[in-house]
mmCIF file of all heavy atoms in Angstrom:
data_model
loop_
_atom_site.group_PDB
_atom_site.id
_atom_site.type_symbol
_atom_site.label_atom_id
_atom_site.label_comp_id
_atom_site.label_asym_id
_atom_site.label_seq_id
_atom_site.Cartn_x
_atom_site.Cartn_y
_atom_site.Cartn_z
ATOM 1 N N GLY A 277 28.327 -13.213 -26.449
ATOM 2 C CA GLY A 277 29.251 -14.342 -26.313
ATOM 3 C C GLY A 277 30.409 -14.318 -27.290
ATOM 4 O O GLY A 277 31.222 -15.244 -27.325
ATOM 5 N N ILE A 278 30.490 -13.240 -28.099
ATOM 6 C CA ILE A 278 31.580 -13.149 -29.064
ATOM 7 C C ILE A 278 31.989 -11.685 -29.182
ATOM 8 O O ILE A 278 31.140 -10.802 -29.139
ATOM 9 C CB ILE A 278 31.175 -13.789 -30.426
ATOM 10 C CG1 ILE A 278 32.316 -13.778 -31.438
ATOM 11 C CG2 ILE A 278 29.955 -13.120 -31.031
ATOM 12 C CD1 ILE A 278 33.218 -14.985 -31.315
ATOM 13 N N TYR A 279 33.305 -11.455 -29.320
ATOM 14 C CA TYR A 279 33.850 -10.097 -29.187
ATOM 15 C C TYR A 279 33.221 -9.061 -30.118
ATOM 16 O O TYR A 279 32.969 -7.936 -29.724
ATOM 17 C CB TYR A 279 35.380 -10.129 -29.353
ATOM 18 C CG TYR A 279 35.826 -10.438 -30.764
ATOM 19 C CD1 TYR A 279 36.128 -9.428 -31.656
ATOM 20 C CD2 TYR A 279 35.919 -11.763 -31.212
ATOM 21 C CE1 TYR A 279 36.514 -9.711 -32.966
ATOM 22 C CE2 TYR A 279 36.291 -12.052 -32.504
ATOM 23 C CZ TYR A 279 36.580 -11.024 -33.380
ATOM 24 O OH TYR A 279 36.937 -11.310 -34.669
ATOM 25 N N TRP A 280 32.942 -9.462 -31.382
ATOM 26 C CA TRP A 280 32.490 -8.440 -32.339
ATOM 27 C C TRP A 280 31.059 -7.984 -32.099
ATOM 28 O O TRP A 280 30.601 -7.012 -32.677
ATOM 29 C CB TRP A 280 32.695 -8.893 -33.790
ATOM 30 C CG TRP A 280 32.070 -10.213 -34.170
ATOM 31 C CD1 TRP A 280 32.686 -11.414 -34.233
ATOM 32 C CD2 TRP A 280 30.708 -10.441 -34.538
ATOM 33 N NE1 TRP A 280 31.810 -12.389 -34.617
ATOM 34 C CE2 TRP A 280 30.585 -11.819 -34.819
ATOM 35 C CE3 TRP A 280 29.577 -9.625 -34.674
ATOM 36 C CZ2 TRP A 280 29.376 -12.395 -35.206
ATOM 37 C CZ3 TRP A 280 28.368 -10.196 -35.066
ATOM 38 C CH2 TRP A 280 28.295 -11.577 -35.319
ATOM 39 N N MET A 281 30.347 -8.699 -31.239
ATOM 40 C CA MET A 281 28.962 -8.291 -30.955
ATOM 41 C C MET A 281 28.896 -7.300 -29.785
ATOM 42 O O MET A 281 27.869 -6.670 -29.554
ATOM 43 C CB MET A 281 28.153 -9.529 -30.593
ATOM 44 C CG MET A 281 26.985 -9.770 -31.524
ATOM 45 S SD MET A 281 26.119 -11.240 -31.005
ATOM 46 C CE MET A 281 26.811 -12.436 -32.095
ATOM 47 N N VAL A 282 30.010 -7.201 -29.050
ATOM 48 C CA VAL A 282 29.981 -6.404 -27.812
ATOM 49 C C VAL A 282 29.659 -4.931 -28.081
ATOM 50 O O VAL A 282 28.767 -4.360 -27.441
ATOM 51 C CB VAL A 282 31.313 -6.560 -27.025
ATOM 52 C CG1 VAL A 282 31.365 -5.623 -25.832
ATOM 53 C CG2 VAL A 282 31.481 -8.017 -26.568
ATOM 54 N N ALA A 283 30.367 -4.328 -29.039
ATOM 55 C CA ALA A 283 30.160 -2.890 -29.287
ATOM 56 C C ALA A 283 28.731 -2.576 -29.747
ATOM 57 O O ALA A 283 28.081 -1.698 -29.159
ATOM 58 C CB ALA A 283 31.197 -2.359 -30.269
ATOM 59 N N PRO A 284 28.200 -3.281 -30.761
ATOM 60 C CA PRO A 284 26.824 -2.931 -31.168
ATOM 61 C C PRO A 284 25.792 -3.166 -30.056
ATOM 62 O O PRO A 284 24.865 -2.365 -29.892
ATOM 63 C CB PRO A 284 26.549 -3.822 -32.391
ATOM 64 C CG PRO A 284 27.683 -4.783 -32.480
ATOM 65 C CD PRO A 284 28.822 -4.221 -31.711
ATOM 66 N N LEU A 285 25.960 -4.242 -29.280
ATOM 67 C CA LEU A 285 24.994 -4.487 -28.187
ATOM 68 C C LEU A 285 25.135 -3.416 -27.099
ATOM 69 O O LEU A 285 24.143 -2.970 -26.514
ATOM 70 C CB LEU A 285 25.178 -5.886 -27.590
ATOM 71 C CG LEU A 285 24.884 -7.067 -28.520
ATOM 72 C CD1 LEU A 285 25.090 -8.393 -27.778
ATOM 73 C CD2 LEU A 285 23.464 -7.003 -29.083
ATOM 74 N N ALA A 286 26.371 -3.008 -26.845
ATOM 75 C CA ALA A 286 26.598 -1.966 -25.834
ATOM 76 C C ALA A 286 25.948 -0.663 -26.284
ATOM 77 O O ALA A 286 25.312 0.047 -25.492
ATOM 78 C CB ALA A 286 28.098 -1.777 -25.615
ATOM 79 N N ARG A 287 26.095 -0.345 -27.565
ATOM 80 C CA ARG A 287 25.498 0.896 -28.077
ATOM 81 C C ARG A 287 23.975 0.829 -27.980
ATOM 82 O O ARG A 287 23.314 1.803 -27.614
ATOM 83 C CB ARG A 287 25.941 1.145 -29.529
ATOM 84 C CG ARG A 287 27.405 1.541 -29.638
ATOM 85 C CD ARG A 287 27.731 2.104 -31.020
ATOM 86 N NE ARG A 287 27.696 1.088 -32.067
ATOM 87 C CZ ARG A 287 28.765 0.428 -32.521
ATOM 88 N NH1 ARG A 287 29.947 0.669 -32.004
ATOM 89 N NH2 ARG A 287 28.640 -0.462 -33.478
ATOM 90 N N ALA A 288 23.424 -0.333 -28.293
ATOM 91 C CA ALA A 288 21.964 -0.498 -28.211
ATOM 92 C C ALA A 288 21.502 -0.299 -26.769
ATOM 93 O O ALA A 288 20.463 0.322 -26.517
ATOM 94 C CB ALA A 288 21.567 -1.884 -28.715
ATOM 95 N N ALA A 289 22.283 -0.830 -25.822
ATOM 96 C CA ALA A 289 21.916 -0.722 -24.402
ATOM 97 C C ALA A 289 21.876 0.740 -23.960
ATOM 98 O O ALA A 289 20.937 1.183 -23.288
ATOM 99 C CB ALA A 289 22.914 -1.509 -23.549
ATOM 100 N N VAL A 290 22.899 1.491 -24.364
ATOM 101 C CA VAL A 290 22.949 2.910 -23.978
ATOM 102 C C VAL A 290 21.781 3.656 -24.626
ATOM 103 O O VAL A 290 21.099 4.463 -23.975
ATOM 104 C CB VAL A 290 24.315 3.534 -24.355
ATOM 105 C CG1 VAL A 290 24.300 5.043 -24.148
ATOM 106 C CG2 VAL A 290 25.425 2.896 -23.513
ATOM 107 N N ALA A 291 21.526 3.354 -25.897
ATOM 108 C CA ALA A 291 20.415 4.022 -26.587
ATOM 109 C C ALA A 291 19.080 3.690 -25.935
ATOM 110 O O ALA A 291 18.165 4.514 -25.908
ATOM 111 C CB ALA A 291 20.405 3.613 -28.064
ATOM 112 N N ALA A 292 18.961 2.486 -25.380
ATOM 113 C CA ALA A 292 17.692 2.055 -24.769
ATOM 114 C C ALA A 292 17.510 2.597 -23.351
ATOM 115 O O ALA A 292 16.465 2.379 -22.742
ATOM 116 C CB ALA A 292 17.614 0.527 -24.767
ATOM 117 N N GLY A 293 18.543 3.264 -22.826
ATOM 118 C CA GLY A 293 18.375 3.898 -21.518
ATOM 119 C C GLY A 293 19.088 3.227 -20.362
ATOM 120 O O GLY A 293 18.813 3.542 -19.193
ATOM 121 N N ALA A 294 20.012 2.317 -20.668
ATOM 122 C CA ALA A 294 20.764 1.671 -19.578
ATOM 123 C C ALA A 294 21.600 2.711 -18.833
ATOM 124 O O ALA A 294 22.015 3.721 -19.410
ATOM 125 C CB ALA A 294 21.669 0.580 -20.149
ATOM 126 N N ASP A 295 21.835 2.437 -17.556
ATOM 127 C CA ASP A 295 22.629 3.351 -16.725
ATOM 128 C C ASP A 295 24.110 3.013 -16.753
ATOM 129 O O ASP A 295 24.905 3.657 -16.062
ATOM 130 C CB ASP A 295 22.127 3.293 -15.274
ATOM 131 C CG ASP A 295 20.686 3.780 -15.165
ATOM 132 O OD1 ASP A 295 20.434 4.924 -15.579
ATOM 133 O OD2 ASP A 295 19.824 3.009 -14.689
ATOM 134 N N GLY A 296 24.463 1.984 -17.503
ATOM 135 C CA GLY A 296 25.874 1.637 -17.590
ATOM 136 C C GLY A 296 26.059 0.277 -18.224
ATOM 137 O O GLY A 296 25.103 -0.367 -18.684
ATOM 138 N N LEU A 297 27.312 -0.154 -18.249
ATOM 139 C CA LEU A 297 27.679 -1.397 -18.927
ATOM 140 C C LEU A 297 28.705 -2.157 -18.113
ATOM 141 O O LEU A 297 29.475 -1.563 -17.356
ATOM 142 C CB LEU A 297 28.311 -1.060 -20.291
ATOM 143 C CG LEU A 297 27.381 -0.351 -21.279
ATOM 144 C CD1 LEU A 297 28.196 0.403 -22.308
ATOM 145 C CD2 LEU A 297 26.446 -1.354 -21.948
ATOM 146 N N MET A 298 28.695 -3.475 -18.301
ATOM 147 C CA MET A 298 29.765 -4.303 -17.771
ATOM 148 C C MET A 298 30.376 -5.021 -18.968
ATOM 149 O O MET A 298 29.678 -5.746 -19.697
ATOM 150 C CB MET A 298 29.215 -5.309 -16.755
ATOM 151 C CG MET A 298 30.263 -6.327 -16.347
ATOM 152 S SD MET A 298 29.708 -7.416 -15.033
ATOM 153 C CE MET A 298 30.457 -6.620 -13.629
ATOM 154 N N ILE A 299 31.672 -4.804 -19.193
ATOM 155 C CA ILE A 299 32.313 -5.314 -20.406
ATOM 156 C C ILE A 299 33.579 -6.100 -20.045
ATOM 157 O O ILE A 299 34.413 -5.628 -19.265
ATOM 158 C CB ILE A 299 32.670 -4.138 -21.356
ATOM 159 C CG1 ILE A 299 31.377 -3.406 -21.792
ATOM 160 C CG2 ILE A 299 33.457 -4.618 -22.573
ATOM 161 C CD1 ILE A 299 31.608 -2.203 -22.705
ATOM 162 N N GLU A 300 33.724 -7.284 -20.663
ATOM 163 C CA GLU A 300 34.936 -8.070 -20.412
ATOM 164 C C GLU A 300 36.067 -7.629 -21.346
ATOM 165 O O GLU A 300 35.890 -7.581 -22.570
ATOM 166 C CB GLU A 300 34.640 -9.573 -20.568
ATOM 167 C CG GLU A 300 33.835 -10.069 -19.373
ATOM 168 C CD GLU A 300 33.614 -11.568 -19.319
ATOM 169 O OE1 GLU A 300 33.772 -12.265 -20.346
ATOM 170 O OE2 GLU A 300 33.260 -12.059 -18.230
ATOM 171 N N VAL A 301 37.210 -7.313 -20.721
ATOM 172 C CA VAL A 301 38.392 -6.858 -21.458
ATOM 173 C C VAL A 301 39.570 -7.695 -20.965
ATOM 174 O O VAL A 301 39.724 -7.901 -19.755
ATOM 175 C CB VAL A 301 38.670 -5.358 -21.171
ATOM 176 C CG1 VAL A 301 39.915 -4.885 -21.918
ATOM 177 C CG2 VAL A 301 37.468 -4.493 -21.537
ATOM 178 N N HIS A 302 40.385 -8.184 -21.899
ATOM 179 C CA HIS A 302 41.514 -9.044 -21.514
ATOM 180 C C HIS A 302 42.792 -8.592 -22.214
ATOM 181 O O HIS A 302 42.747 -8.107 -23.341
ATOM 182 C CB HIS A 302 41.179 -10.502 -21.892
ATOM 183 C CG HIS A 302 42.032 -11.514 -21.191
ATOM 184 N ND1 HIS A 302 43.304 -11.827 -21.613
ATOM 185 C CD2 HIS A 302 41.789 -12.271 -20.094
ATOM 186 C CE1 HIS A 302 43.807 -12.752 -20.795
ATOM 187 N NE2 HIS A 302 42.911 -13.032 -19.862
ATOM 188 N N ASN A 303 43.933 -8.773 -21.533
ATOM 189 C CA ASN A 303 45.224 -8.396 -22.120
ATOM 190 C C ASN A 303 45.609 -9.318 -23.273
ATOM 191 O O ASN A 303 46.335 -8.934 -24.176
ATOM 192 C CB ASN A 303 46.325 -8.403 -21.044
ATOM 193 C CG ASN A 303 46.386 -9.728 -20.292
ATOM 194 O OD1 ASN A 303 45.349 -10.286 -19.919
ATOM 195 N ND2 ASN A 303 47.577 -10.255 -20.083
ATOM 196 N N ASP A 304 45.067 -10.557 -23.262
ATOM 197 C CA ASP A 304 45.424 -11.530 -24.300
ATOM 198 C C ASP A 304 44.244 -12.497 -24.462
ATOM 199 O O ASP A 304 44.305 -13.643 -24.001
ATOM 200 C CB ASP A 304 46.694 -12.275 -23.847
ATOM 201 C CG ASP A 304 47.166 -13.305 -24.849
ATOM 202 O OD1 ASP A 304 46.638 -13.334 -25.985
ATOM 203 O OD2 ASP A 304 48.076 -14.091 -24.492
ATOM 204 N N PRO A 305 43.171 -12.033 -25.109
ATOM 205 C CA PRO A 305 41.946 -12.850 -25.164
ATOM 206 C C PRO A 305 42.152 -14.271 -25.674
ATOM 207 O O PRO A 305 41.490 -15.198 -25.195
ATOM 208 C CB PRO A 305 41.023 -12.060 -26.109
ATOM 209 C CG PRO A 305 41.511 -10.652 -26.026
ATOM 210 C CD PRO A 305 42.988 -10.736 -25.789
ATOM 211 N N ALA A 306 43.088 -14.452 -26.598
ATOM 212 C CA ALA A 306 43.291 -15.793 -27.189
ATOM 213 C C ALA A 306 43.741 -16.802 -26.135
ATOM 214 O O ALA A 306 43.524 -18.006 -26.293
ATOM 215 C CB ALA A 306 44.319 -15.711 -28.307
ATOM 216 N N HIS A 307 44.365 -16.319 -25.067
ATOM 217 C CA HIS A 307 44.847 -17.239 -24.034
ATOM 218 C C HIS A 307 44.129 -17.058 -22.698
ATOM 219 O O HIS A 307 44.637 -17.492 -21.654
ATOM 220 C CB HIS A 307 46.373 -17.082 -23.858
ATOM 221 C CG HIS A 307 47.128 -17.438 -25.102
ATOM 222 N ND1 HIS A 307 47.620 -16.500 -25.961
ATOM 223 C CD2 HIS A 307 47.399 -18.655 -25.645
ATOM 224 C CE1 HIS A 307 48.187 -17.106 -26.984
ATOM 225 N NE2 HIS A 307 48.070 -18.423 -26.829
ATOM 226 N N ALA A 308 42.971 -16.410 -22.719
ATOM 227 C CA ALA A 308 42.230 -16.184 -21.460
ATOM 228 C C ALA A 308 41.801 -17.525 -20.859
ATOM 229 O O ALA A 308 41.491 -18.475 -21.584
ATOM 230 C CB ALA A 308 41.003 -15.324 -21.737
ATOM 231 N N LEU A 309 41.772 -17.593 -19.532
ATOM 232 C CA LEU A 309 41.369 -18.841 -18.864
ATOM 233 C C LEU A 309 39.851 -19.003 -18.828
ATOM 234 O O LEU A 309 39.351 -20.069 -18.488
ATOM 235 C CB LEU A 309 41.957 -18.891 -17.447
ATOM 236 C CG LEU A 309 43.488 -18.920 -17.364
ATOM 237 C CD1 LEU A 309 43.963 -19.033 -15.924
ATOM 238 C CD2 LEU A 309 44.061 -20.087 -18.196
#
Side-chain angles (χ1 to χ4, degrees):
I278 183 87
Y279 70 95
W280 55 262
M281 240 180 262
V282 173
L285 295 181
R287 289 194 290 264
V290 172
D295 297 303
L297 297 158
M298 171 174 261
I299 298 179
E300 286 187 342
V301 179
H302 198 279
N303 53 317
D304 180 10
H307 297 101
L309 297 183

